[in-house]
Amino acid sequence: MAFQFLFDLLIEFKLEGYWYFSKGRIDWLGFLARTVLVPPVNMMYINFYPLNGGIREKGLYIIFWSAGILTYELITLLPAPWGYFHYGWWKLGYSAIVDPILLFILLMYFKLICSIELKMVLKKQHLE
């Protein structure tokens, strides 16, 4: 969540690539979109990820989620009342490239945390 938040803030405020609701200032509705929408979607992505599946299944899963995110992004680009997301220089093609990379980073972070937790549990069991 922190990495996603940092990425959004950098692209939105520093580079003015896109923004939620209003441009050039922190708006609380945009904050809600980042904090209430993104974390549950990330948890759903991780929860249903086919950890024991083959490489094809894993690749299709990432493609499916990327397509879903792009579809959602297209809907949020519509005029009000549906749309609340706006592009500066950012394009949907950039999202098509970046989204799978961000999903992969999220997955690698999850695996890192699981590995650290496992080592801690094993170390604790060894000490007992």
Side-chain angles (χ1 to χ4, degrees):
M1 182 176 146
F3 181 70
Q4 171 69 34
F5 201 68
L6 177 64
F7 183 87
D8 268 354
L9 291 176
L10 178 66
I11 298 296
E12 181 175 350
F13 294 107
K14 180 74 174 163
L15 302 175
E16 296 182 347
Y18 56 74
W19 59 91
Y20 298 90
F21 297 101
S22 60
K23 181 180 178 184
R25 63 182 177 84
I26 296 176
D27 74 68
W28 294 106
L29 291 173
F31 180 76
L32 282 175
R34 287 184 200 90
T35 57
V36 176
L37 178 67
V38 172
V41 171
N42 286 346
M43 286 188 282
M44 287 177 11
Y45 168 75
I46 291 295
N47 190 43
F48 297 113
Y49 186 81
L51 288 169
N52 298 323
I55 193 151
R56 181 175 182 209
E57 187 178 358
K58 292 175 180 180
L60 288 173
Y61 186 81
I62 291 175
I63 290 169
F64 170 78
W65 272 87
S66 296
I69 292 169
L70 291 174
T71 301
Y72 173 77
E73 192 170 317
L74 280 172
I75 292 168
T76 62
L77 287 168
L78 292 173
W82 296 103
Y84 61 86
F85 191 63
H86 308 280
Y87 281 157
W89 54 265
W90 192 265
K91 294 180 173 41
L92 190 66
Y94 300 156
S95 292
I97 293 167
V98 170
D99 288 347
I101 295 168
L102 292 175
L103 289 172
F104 183 75
I105 290 170
L106 176 62
L107 178 64
M108 292 298 104
Y109 181 72
F110 172 73
K111 287 183 174 185
L112 174 67
I113 295 302
C114 287
S115 172
I116 292 169
E117 285 180 346
L118 180 61
K119 287 178 184 176
M120 289 176 66
V121 167
L122 293 174
K123 184 177 180 180
K124 184 179 179 183
Q125 287 176 352
H126 181 28
L127 293 174
E128 291 178 345

